[in-house]
Amino acid sequence: MSPFLAIQFVTFVINLFLGFLILYRNPRSQIHRYFWLFAFGVATWNLSLFLVISELGQPLLWGRLAFSFASLMPTGLFIFSAAFPWADKNIAFIKIALLTLGVVFFTFPLTNLIIKSVRVVDQTYITGELTPFYFVYLVHHFGFLIWAFAKLLRKRKKSQGIQKTQLKYVATGVMIFFVPLFTTQLILPSFGIFRFN
């Protein structure tokens, strides 16, 4: 197994374990369920990429599923940011709107609307033919991730005590997640560099 495949698989296992650990601690908590959705999205995105790169089964199917599962990340993180550590006034509307958009952006990648082909290069990364709708997918994906991060920072400014500390650590974790994600999935591919995705 190549180091790239090992990293993909370990990332899948760690995120899946973390998501289920948080959910297990308090399955009735909405905040825990929203975080689980985010962690599950990260985990299954990595599993799909692992399956594409290892060339098990149908690369096009796994490539499309990678985009579908990745759409769970902005949905979960944004709803989490709207609920943690206190719920926004319009949380019910946010949940309905985001979950509806989440279903749409989960379904679209499974068709020819975003991905036409997938090609594995040296069992290290994937490339392929994308449609113009891919730009809409990116705007949705990265737009809600950035908005969720801004929401957490805004809440941190308004908070005090333990909530301020919690938000500091959550915002730091999200930032550590964002930097490599934005670099390898958005910025470098914009310049035609796919080998780090």
mmCIF file of all heavy atoms in Angstrom, residues 11-37:
data_model
loop_
_atom_site.group_PDB
_atom_site.id
_atom_site.type_symbol
_atom_site.label_atom_id
_atom_site.label_comp_id
_atom_site.label_asym_id
_atom_site.label_seq_id
_atom_site.Cartn_x
_atom_site.Cartn_y
_atom_site.Cartn_z
ATOM 1 N N THR A 11 -6.985 8.477 7.726
ATOM 2 C CA THR A 11 -7.850 9.650 7.888
ATOM 3 C C THR A 11 -9.305 9.231 7.959
ATOM 4 O O THR A 11 -10.073 9.750 8.774
ATOM 5 C CB THR A 11 -7.626 10.641 6.732
ATOM 6 O OG1 THR A 11 -6.248 10.984 6.681
ATOM 7 C CG2 THR A 11 -8.441 11.905 6.914
ATOM 8 N N PHE A 12 -9.692 8.276 7.125
ATOM 9 C CA PHE A 12 -11.050 7.732 7.178
ATOM 10 C C PHE A 12 -11.345 7.154 8.563
ATOM 11 O O PHE A 12 -12.351 7.489 9.186
ATOM 12 C CB PHE A 12 -11.230 6.667 6.089
ATOM 13 C CG PHE A 12 -12.341 5.697 6.363
ATOM 14 C CD1 PHE A 12 -13.668 6.099 6.329
ATOM 15 C CD2 PHE A 12 -12.053 4.367 6.671
ATOM 16 C CE1 PHE A 12 -14.696 5.196 6.594
ATOM 17 C CE2 PHE A 12 -13.069 3.469 6.928
ATOM 18 C CZ PHE A 12 -14.396 3.879 6.895
ATOM 19 N N VAL A 13 -10.478 6.304 9.054
ATOM 20 C CA VAL A 13 -10.701 5.624 10.340
ATOM 21 C C VAL A 13 -10.763 6.628 11.483
ATOM 22 O O VAL A 13 -11.670 6.572 12.325
ATOM 23 C CB VAL A 13 -9.607 4.558 10.589
ATOM 24 C CG1 VAL A 13 -9.692 4.002 12.010
ATOM 25 C CG2 VAL A 13 -9.723 3.433 9.571
ATOM 26 N N ILE A 14 -9.828 7.564 11.534
ATOM 27 C CA ILE A 14 -9.787 8.536 12.634
ATOM 28 C C ILE A 14 -11.039 9.408 12.645
ATOM 29 O O ILE A 14 -11.656 9.623 13.695
ATOM 30 C CB ILE A 14 -8.505 9.404 12.555
ATOM 31 C CG1 ILE A 14 -7.285 8.553 12.910
ATOM 32 C CG2 ILE A 14 -8.610 10.621 13.468
ATOM 33 C CD1 ILE A 14 -5.962 9.242 12.664
ATOM 34 N N ASN A 15 -11.441 9.914 11.492
ATOM 35 C CA ASN A 15 -12.626 10.778 11.442
ATOM 36 C C ASN A 15 -13.908 10.009 11.744
ATOM 37 O O ASN A 15 -14.799 10.526 12.411
ATOM 38 C CB ASN A 15 -12.724 11.491 10.097
ATOM 39 C CG ASN A 15 -11.814 12.681 10.053
ATOM 40 O OD1 ASN A 15 -12.113 13.706 10.633
ATOM 41 N ND2 ASN A 15 -10.675 12.532 9.387
ATOM 42 N N LEU A 16 -14.001 8.792 11.251
ATOM 43 C CA LEU A 16 -15.178 7.976 11.547
ATOM 44 C C LEU A 16 -15.259 7.688 13.045
ATOM 45 O O LEU A 16 -16.323 7.832 13.661
ATOM 46 C CB LEU A 16 -15.137 6.673 10.753
ATOM 47 C CG LEU A 16 -16.414 5.846 10.778
ATOM 48 C CD1 LEU A 16 -17.546 6.592 10.072
ATOM 49 C CD2 LEU A 16 -16.181 4.502 10.110
ATOM 50 N N PHE A 17 -14.127 7.326 13.638
ATOM 51 C CA PHE A 17 -14.082 7.058 15.078
ATOM 52 C C PHE A 17 -14.431 8.316 15.876
ATOM 53 O O PHE A 17 -15.232 8.254 16.811
ATOM 54 C CB PHE A 17 -12.690 6.544 15.476
ATOM 55 C CG PHE A 17 -12.519 6.364 16.950
ATOM 56 C CD1 PHE A 17 -13.100 5.282 17.600
ATOM 57 C CD2 PHE A 17 -11.797 7.289 17.696
ATOM 58 C CE1 PHE A 17 -12.951 5.122 18.970
ATOM 59 C CE2 PHE A 17 -11.653 7.137 19.062
ATOM 60 C CZ PHE A 17 -12.232 6.049 19.698
ATOM 61 N N LEU A 18 -13.852 9.443 15.512
ATOM 62 C CA LEU A 18 -14.124 10.696 16.212
ATOM 63 C C LEU A 18 -15.602 11.071 16.122
ATOM 64 O O LEU A 18 -16.232 11.436 17.124
ATOM 65 C CB LEU A 18 -13.255 11.825 15.648
ATOM 66 C CG LEU A 18 -13.450 13.214 16.255
ATOM 67 C CD1 LEU A 18 -13.090 13.209 17.732
ATOM 68 C CD2 LEU A 18 -12.616 14.233 15.513
ATOM 69 N N GLY A 19 -16.173 10.969 14.927
ATOM 70 C CA GLY A 19 -17.584 11.288 14.750
ATOM 71 C C GLY A 19 -18.482 10.406 15.599
ATOM 72 O O GLY A 19 -19.389 10.893 16.287
ATOM 73 N N PHE A 20 -18.231 9.095 15.579
ATOM 74 C CA PHE A 20 -19.067 8.189 16.361
ATOM 75 C C PHE A 20 -18.820 8.334 17.854
ATOM 76 O O PHE A 20 -19.741 8.163 18.659
ATOM 77 C CB PHE A 20 -18.890 6.744 15.901
ATOM 78 C CG PHE A 20 -19.711 6.421 14.697
ATOM 79 C CD1 PHE A 20 -19.107 6.144 13.481
ATOM 80 C CD2 PHE A 20 -21.095 6.419 14.756
ATOM 81 C CE1 PHE A 20 -19.870 5.860 12.364
ATOM 82 C CE2 PHE A 20 -21.871 6.136 13.644
ATOM 83 C CZ PHE A 20 -21.245 5.863 12.442
ATOM 84 N N LEU A 21 -17.590 8.666 18.263
ATOM 85 C CA LEU A 21 -17.305 8.901 19.680
ATOM 86 C C LEU A 21 -18.111 10.093 20.198
ATOM 87 O O LEU A 21 -18.738 10.018 21.261
ATOM 88 C CB LEU A 21 -15.805 9.137 19.892
ATOM 89 C CG LEU A 21 -15.368 9.446 21.323
ATOM 90 C CD1 LEU A 21 -15.595 8.232 22.219
ATOM 91 C CD2 LEU A 21 -13.915 9.867 21.343
ATOM 92 N N ILE A 22 -18.116 11.188 19.451
ATOM 93 C CA ILE A 22 -18.880 12.377 19.838
ATOM 94 C C ILE A 22 -20.372 12.054 19.875
ATOM 95 O O ILE A 22 -21.082 12.421 20.811
ATOM 96 C CB ILE A 22 -18.601 13.548 18.870
ATOM 97 C CG1 ILE A 22 -17.134 13.967 18.920
ATOM 98 C CG2 ILE A 22 -19.525 14.723 19.132
ATOM 99 C CD1 ILE A 22 -16.660 14.500 20.246
ATOM 100 N N LEU A 23 -20.869 11.344 18.865
ATOM 101 C CA LEU A 23 -22.285 10.982 18.825
ATOM 102 C C LEU A 23 -22.641 10.047 19.984
ATOM 103 O O LEU A 23 -23.687 10.206 20.621
ATOM 104 C CB LEU A 23 -22.624 10.326 17.490
ATOM 105 C CG LEU A 23 -24.098 10.022 17.246
ATOM 106 C CD1 LEU A 23 -24.913 11.311 17.214
ATOM 107 C CD2 LEU A 23 -24.272 9.259 15.943
ATOM 108 N N TYR A 24 -21.779 9.111 20.282
ATOM 109 C CA TYR A 24 -22.006 8.155 21.367
ATOM 110 C C TYR A 24 -22.103 8.846 22.725
ATOM 111 O O TYR A 24 -22.894 8.447 23.580
ATOM 112 C CB TYR A 24 -20.883 7.107 21.373
ATOM 113 C CG TYR A 24 -20.952 6.154 22.539
ATOM 114 C CD1 TYR A 24 -21.873 5.106 22.544
ATOM 115 C CD2 TYR A 24 -20.099 6.306 23.630
ATOM 116 C CE1 TYR A 24 -21.939 4.229 23.616
ATOM 117 C CE2 TYR A 24 -20.163 5.444 24.703
ATOM 118 C CZ TYR A 24 -21.084 4.400 24.697
ATOM 119 O OH TYR A 24 -21.148 3.545 25.757
ATOM 120 N N ARG A 25 -21.300 9.894 22.893
ATOM 121 C CA ARG A 25 -21.285 10.611 24.182
ATOM 122 C C ARG A 25 -22.646 11.217 24.520
ATOM 123 O O ARG A 25 -23.014 11.296 25.680
ATOM 124 C CB ARG A 25 -20.222 11.721 24.166
ATOM 125 C CG ARG A 25 -18.796 11.263 23.972
ATOM 126 C CD ARG A 25 -18.198 10.723 25.201
ATOM 127 N NE ARG A 25 -18.290 11.667 26.286
ATOM 128 C CZ ARG A 25 -17.345 11.930 27.143
ATOM 129 N NH1 ARG A 25 -16.206 11.335 27.018
ATOM 130 N NH2 ARG A 25 -17.537 12.771 28.109
ATOM 131 N N ASN A 26 -23.371 11.677 23.507
ATOM 132 C CA ASN A 26 -24.696 12.246 23.748
ATOM 133 C C ASN A 26 -25.490 12.216 22.441
ATOM 134 O O ASN A 26 -25.594 13.228 21.749
ATOM 135 C CB ASN A 26 -24.583 13.678 24.286
ATOM 136 C CG ASN A 26 -25.907 14.219 24.766
ATOM 137 O OD1 ASN A 26 -26.940 13.586 24.609
ATOM 138 N ND2 ASN A 26 -25.879 15.402 25.336
ATOM 139 N N PRO A 27 -26.081 11.066 22.098
ATOM 140 C CA PRO A 27 -26.777 10.950 20.815
ATOM 141 C C PRO A 27 -28.024 11.823 20.700
ATOM 142 O O PRO A 27 -28.491 12.080 19.598
ATOM 143 C CB PRO A 27 -27.150 9.463 20.734
ATOM 144 C CG PRO A 27 -27.004 8.933 22.109
ATOM 145 C CD PRO A 27 -26.076 9.825 22.853
ATOM 146 N N ARG A 28 -28.547 12.318 21.802
ATOM 147 C CA ARG A 28 -29.738 13.176 21.743
ATOM 148 C C ARG A 28 -29.399 14.643 21.497
ATOM 149 O O ARG A 28 -30.274 15.434 21.181
ATOM 150 C CB ARG A 28 -30.541 13.047 23.038
ATOM 151 C CG ARG A 28 -31.129 11.672 23.185
ATOM 152 C CD ARG A 28 -31.976 11.567 24.402
ATOM 153 N NE ARG A 28 -32.486 10.208 24.512
ATOM 154 C CZ ARG A 28 -33.416 9.855 25.329
ATOM 155 N NH1 ARG A 28 -33.972 10.739 26.134
ATOM 156 N NH2 ARG A 28 -33.813 8.609 25.372
ATOM 157 N N SER A 29 -28.144 15.000 21.662
ATOM 158 C CA SER A 29 -27.723 16.386 21.467
ATOM 159 C C SER A 29 -27.662 16.716 19.987
ATOM 160 O O SER A 29 -26.997 16.029 19.205
ATOM 161 C CB SER A 29 -26.347 16.603 22.095
ATOM 162 O OG SER A 29 -25.779 17.811 21.646
ATOM 163 N N GLN A 30 -28.350 17.798 19.601
ATOM 164 C CA GLN A 30 -28.295 18.224 18.203
ATOM 165 C C GLN A 30 -26.878 18.609 17.809
ATOM 166 O O GLN A 30 -26.436 18.305 16.700
ATOM 167 C CB GLN A 30 -29.242 19.398 17.970
ATOM 168 C CG GLN A 30 -30.690 19.011 18.005
ATOM 169 C CD GLN A 30 -31.603 20.167 17.623
ATOM 170 O OE1 GLN A 30 -31.151 21.273 17.345
ATOM 171 N NE2 GLN A 30 -32.896 19.895 17.593
ATOM 172 N N ILE A 31 -26.178 19.265 18.695
ATOM 173 C CA ILE A 31 -24.805 19.681 18.397
ATOM 174 C C ILE A 31 -23.945 18.465 18.090
ATOM 175 O O ILE A 31 -23.163 18.476 17.133
ATOM 176 C CB ILE A 31 -24.216 20.495 19.572
ATOM 177 C CG1 ILE A 31 -24.950 21.825 19.701
ATOM 178 C CG2 ILE A 31 -22.725 20.717 19.384
ATOM 179 C CD1 ILE A 31 -24.612 22.600 20.956
ATOM 180 N N HIS A 32 -24.094 17.397 18.856
ATOM 181 C CA HIS A 32 -23.319 16.178 18.622
ATOM 182 C C HIS A 32 -23.692 15.540 17.281
ATOM 183 O O HIS A 32 -22.824 15.043 16.568
ATOM 184 C CB HIS A 32 -23.551 15.179 19.766
ATOM 185 C CG HIS A 32 -22.888 15.583 21.038
ATOM 186 N ND1 HIS A 32 -22.024 14.765 21.726
ATOM 187 C CD2 HIS A 32 -22.943 16.728 21.758
ATOM 188 C CE1 HIS A 32 -21.588 15.375 22.808
ATOM 189 N NE2 HIS A 32 -22.144 16.576 22.848
ATOM 190 N N ARG A 33 -24.971 15.578 16.932
ATOM 191 C CA ARG A 33 -25.399 14.999 15.650
ATOM 192 C C ARG A 33 -24.870 15.817 14.470
ATOM 193 O O ARG A 33 -24.488 15.260 13.441
ATOM 194 C CB ARG A 33 -26.922 14.888 15.591
ATOM 195 C CG ARG A 33 -27.457 13.801 16.512
ATOM 196 C CD ARG A 33 -28.904 13.544 16.267
ATOM 197 N NE ARG A 33 -29.703 14.744 16.484
ATOM 198 C CZ ARG A 33 -30.689 14.836 17.356
ATOM 199 N NH1 ARG A 33 -31.019 13.803 18.098
ATOM 200 N NH2 ARG A 33 -31.364 15.957 17.481
ATOM 201 N N TYR A 34 -24.847 17.141 14.604
ATOM 202 C CA TYR A 34 -24.331 17.983 13.514
ATOM 203 C C TYR A 34 -22.835 17.772 13.338
ATOM 204 O O TYR A 34 -22.336 17.730 12.212
ATOM 205 C CB TYR A 34 -24.631 19.457 13.753
ATOM 206 C CG TYR A 34 -26.093 19.751 13.924
ATOM 207 C CD1 TYR A 34 -26.512 20.764 14.782
ATOM 208 C CD2 TYR A 34 -27.073 19.026 13.254
ATOM 209 C CE1 TYR A 34 -27.852 21.049 14.956
ATOM 210 C CE2 TYR A 34 -28.410 19.299 13.423
ATOM 211 C CZ TYR A 34 -28.793 20.308 14.280
ATOM 212 O OH TYR A 34 -30.132 20.580 14.451
ATOM 213 N N PHE A 35 -22.112 17.660 14.466
ATOM 214 C CA PHE A 35 -20.681 17.393 14.363
ATOM 215 C C PHE A 35 -20.454 16.020 13.739
ATOM 216 O O PHE A 35 -19.552 15.842 12.915
ATOM 217 C CB PHE A 35 -19.977 17.477 15.721
ATOM 218 C CG PHE A 35 -18.499 17.269 15.597
ATOM 219 C CD1 PHE A 35 -17.675 18.307 15.229
ATOM 220 C CD2 PHE A 35 -17.940 16.018 15.802
ATOM 221 C CE1 PHE A 35 -16.312 18.115 15.074
ATOM 222 C CE2 PHE A 35 -16.580 15.808 15.648
ATOM 223 C CZ PHE A 35 -15.770 16.856 15.284
ATOM 224 N N TRP A 36 -21.289 15.037 14.122
ATOM 225 C CA TRP A 36 -21.174 13.698 13.531
ATOM 226 C C TRP A 36 -21.357 13.764 12.023
ATOM 227 O O TRP A 36 -20.615 13.115 11.284
ATOM 228 C CB TRP A 36 -22.212 12.748 14.142
ATOM 229 C CG TRP A 36 -22.248 11.437 13.433
ATOM 230 C CD1 TRP A 36 -21.429 10.367 13.652
ATOM 231 C CD2 TRP A 36 -23.093 11.073 12.341
ATOM 232 N NE1 TRP A 36 -21.731 9.353 12.758
ATOM 233 C CE2 TRP A 36 -22.755 9.762 11.946
ATOM 234 C CE3 TRP A 36 -24.118 11.720 11.658
ATOM 235 C CZ2 TRP A 36 -23.396 9.100 10.906
ATOM 236 C CZ3 TRP A 36 -24.756 11.061 10.621
ATOM 237 C CH2 TRP A 36 -24.390 9.764 10.261
ATOM 238 N N LEU A 37 -22.324 14.547 11.544
ATOM 239 C CA LEU A 37 -22.553 14.681 10.103
ATOM 240 C C LEU A 37 -21.307 15.218 9.412
ATOM 241 O O LEU A 37 -20.893 14.721 8.357
ATOM 242 C CB LEU A 37 -23.755 15.592 9.824
ATOM 243 C CG LEU A 37 -24.125 15.797 8.358
ATOM 244 C CD1 LEU A 37 -24.519 14.483 7.695
ATOM 245 C CD2 LEU A 37 -25.258 16.823 8.247
#
